[in-house]
Amino acid sequence: MGVVDVGSNSVRLVVYEALSRSPAYFFNEKVLCGLGADLASTGRLSVEGRARALLALRRFAALARSMDIDVLDGVATAAVREASDGQEFVEEVERETGLRLRVATGEDEARLASQGVLMGWPDADGLVADLGGASLELSRVGLGQVGRGVTLPLGPLRLMGLEGGASAQDALIDASLASVRGMLGAPGGRIYLVGGSWRALAKLHMTRIGYPIQVLHEFELPAEEMLALAEEVAAMTPEALLKEMTSSRDRIAVTPMGARVLAGLIRAAQPARVAVSAFGLREGVLYEHLPEALRQQDPLLSAARHMERRLSRFPGFGAELAAFVWPLFPNASLARRRLIEAACVLNDVAWNAHPDYRDQAVFESVYRANLSGIGHAERAWIGAALRYRYKSGGGGRPAAPALALLSESEQAEARLLGRTIRLGAMLSGSAPGVLPQCSLSVDADALTLRLRGGAAALAGEMVQKRLTSVADTVGRPPRLVIEDAAAEAIG
């Protein structure tokens, strides 16, 4: 599945590995063309931007053919929609490349961006704000549904071409947001930010504060912190930002204006929290192609199972491992149980790394993986548990910054899960079919491991060692019970 996104500032091709609830990126290329750079002054597409966009689209169409992509869906947004020569450009693209672009209405664009947010954040509840080069789209999400969307003429490229300077820009921002006051919601909610300029702002903030997880998706912070940053950056020059940001010059050039729009939005909506979504319009297009059964899947568990199929020695073992560890977490909430299951499914994805570095490799697989439906503290929790899966002590220094996102009790819970996974993986050799013959139970007297049937032959010194580690963690003495009498006699 491929999506071509022809935006007001950038043109991008994203190819997804498959139709999946948690999309894996097979290929991703972006060209900052600035199609909408002259829209405010001429009402037409930028001549230079149009030439660059057409060149990029020729390349994208050729790549799609060489990759033998099953479905290629092209969408054009505000600049093409509003330019007097927009339809002419669409026809030229089809004639030159064979690619058919559907021109999204403002409401379509808002809906697609919100569907993208829900793709990666199923329980999102609040206002979705998608900032493109020429427009700002707003819509509300909640209970897995997308509300009515609106589009506002607040894209950085449009505002930068506005006569009257900063005062005229602020006046347009304030007036436009006032016109949709009812959509902004009551103070104290959450805003989900979509768009490259706003992701660049969030990345700048993460760098400045030394944030321990350099993953933009589901990064969130108090609204007052983001407002202070937005107001500061809005007053900065691109040259000053170049000293702090690693984004391209074209992206940095529009970031101060994107920050000005964000500051106005935060002041108007008065949210309590601001969150960043790495998913947006392109994932919203993908979402439209998913059958209902896939839409209903948990994106975290879907991604974990996909990684298990690709990277583990014995795909399917993770489900048996989860059933094995459940008895030690009888009071886990539903939210925690899905993290436990995900950790079990991901437990073997680093098996091929060097033995001395498997604890770090498995942590990195969660720490930086393209996972959705999971917050940063949850990433840290799964990563910590999987480090204990390879090293009973939890590994060394690289995990320490991320552990700061967890309370002491959460770290202790991760330690218990990791050591229990370590026991189950070693006991079975990570091979399916063994753990269903094994069970754990804990009571006031002991932590008991029972081996039945063919699993009875697997008892040994290493099993006792791993069992003792788990028992020490729960503060009980270990007990190994072998229920196969013949195997017990041999032992």
Side-chain angles (χ1 to χ4, degrees):
M1 169 77 194
V3 178
V4 174
D5 177 5
V6 180
S8 302
N9 193 33
S10 65
V11 174
R12 186 190 298 258
L13 168 65
V14 176
V15 181
Y16 300 98
E17 186 176 12
L19 286 177
S20 168
R21 185 60 184 81
S22 188
Y25 297 92
F26 181 81
F27 181 85
N28 188 343
E29 183 174 319
K30 174 184 66 177
V31 180
L32 290 168
C33 300
L35 263 178
D38 299 336
L39 195 61
S41 58
T42 69
R44 296 174 62 85
L45 298 174
S46 162
V47 174
E48 179 185 354
R50 180 168 168 167
R52 293 179 65 190
L54 187 59
L55 181 63
L57 292 170
R58 284 197 190 100
R59 169 176 162 75
F60 293 166
L63 285 172
R65 288 191 294 270
S66 65
M67 292 179 185
D68 197 23
I69 293 173
D70 294 317
V71 178
L72 184 63
D73 197 343
V75 181
T77 56
V80 175
R81 178 174 68 242
E82 298 179 18
S84 60
D85 57 343
Q87 184 56 39
E88 176 188 306
F89 174 72
V90 169
E91 293 169 359
E92 182 181 19
V93 168
E94 183 174 0
R95 186 170 59 251
E96 295 286 334
T97 72
L99 176 63
R100 294 183 178 180
L101 296 176
R102 54 171 163 146
V103 181
T105 66
E107 188 168 341
D108 288 339
E109 197 173 344
R111 174 179 52 78
L112 289 170
S114 293
Q115 286 177 178
V117 170
L118 290 176
M119 184 84 168
W121 212 321
D123 59 351
D125 184 7
L127 179 69
V128 174
D130 178 13
L131 184 68
S135 63
L136 170 67
E137 278 68 45
L138 301 173
S139 60
R140 299 200 65 82
V141 293
L143 300 176
Q145 302 296 316
V146 178
R148 181 180 67 89
V150 298
T151 184
L152 301 174
L154 299 181
L157 293 179
R158 187 195 301 270
L159 289 170
M160 290 164 67
L162 191 66
E163 293 184 3
S167 60
Q169 292 159 357
D170 286 337
L172 180 58
I173 292 170
D174 293 343
S176 298
L177 291 170
S179 71
V180 294
R181 182 66 192 86
M183 175 170 284
L184 301 183
R190 181 183 273 112
I191 295 179
Y192 299 88
L193 303 182
V194 178
S197 295
W198 288 347
R199 285 193 292 270
L201 276 178
K203 188 174 182 180
L204 172 62
H205 185 67
M206 294 167 80
T207 300
R208 283 182 171 183
I209 66 174
Y211 190 73
I213 296 183
Q214 295 297 305
V215 174
L216 285 168
H217 186 60
E218 295 205 25
F219 173 65
E220 62 177 288
L221 67 165
E224 58 268 23
E225 287 187 30
M226 183 57 95
L227 176 58
L229 174 68
E231 290 178 336
E232 177 190 354
V233 172
M236 295 177 68
T237 64
E239 290 72 25
L241 284 174
L242 272 171
K243 299 176 182 178
E244 292 192 77
M245 297 175 64
T246 58
S247 302
S248 69
R249 286 180 174 270
D250 288 338
R251 173 63 65 200
I252 291 174
V254 299
T255 296
M257 191 58 67
R260 185 179 293 275
V261 175
L262 180 57
L265 178 61
I266 293 174
R267 287 192 293 264
Q270 300 178 45
R273 308 282 294 177
V274 174
V276 178
S277 173
F279 290 4
L281 181 141
R282 292 174 292 277
E283 289 72 28
V285 172
L286 176 66
Y287 186 83
E288 290 191 323
H289 289 266
L290 295 182
E292 188 60 30
L294 282 182
R295 292 184 183 184
Q296 297 304 317
Q297 288 182 359
D298 183 313
L300 170 61
L301 296 178
S302 175
R305 290 168 186 145
H306 181 72
M307 290 178 66
E308 183 190 37
R309 287 192 297 271
R310 288 192 300 111
L311 302 174
S312 295
R313 291 170 292 178
F314 299 103
F317 172 71
E320 294 184 0
L321 184 59
F324 178 74
V325 309
W326 287 139
L328 298 192
F329 300 89
N331 300 316
S333 65
L334 288 176
R336 185 62 77 195
R337 286 178 71 88
R338 71 189 284 269
L339 299 185
I340 293 172
E341 182 174 356
C344 290
V345 172
L346 292 168
N347 89 95
D348 199 42
V349 297
W351 74 270
N352 204 25
H354 189 285
D356 292 343
Y357 296 99
R358 282 179 187 154
D359 63 309
Q360 296 182 37
V362 76
F363 184 83
E364 288 287 330
S365 71
V366 176
Y367 185 70
R368 301 187 189 279
N370 182 39
L371 299 174
S372 56
I374 180 173
H376 286 193
E378 294 171 323
R379 281 180 184 265
W381 191 84
I382 293 178
L386 292 179
R387 287 189 69 118
Y388 284 109
R389 178 257 188 270
Y390 283 110
K391 289 188 182 294
S392 184
R397 186 171 55 195
L403 292 180
L405 299 176
L406 305 177
S407 67
E408 290 187 8
S409 63
E410 288 171 330
Q411 293 185 42
E413 194 178 34
R415 183 163 51 249
L416 173 59
L417 175 61
R419 289 176 176 173
T420 309
I421 288 175
R422 185 172 169 84
L423 167 63
M426 186 281 310
L427 172 62
S428 63
S430 297
V434 176
L435 290 185
Q437 302 176 77
C438 313
S439 63
L440 285 171
S441 62
V442 61
D443 55 29
D445 298 323
L447 171 73
T448 302
L449 171 63
R450 296 180 183 276
L451 306 181
R452 300 180 298 276
L458 298 175
E461 291 184 12
M462 191 57 71
V463 171
Q464 189 66 52
K465 180 180 178 180
R466 298 287 185 257
L467 177 62
T468 299
S469 177
V470 178
D472 290 346
T473 308
V474 298
R476 302 286 193 279
R479 181 168 61 195
L480 177 61
V481 176
I482 301 175
E483 296 188 346
D484 185 299
E488 186 174 15
I490 293 172

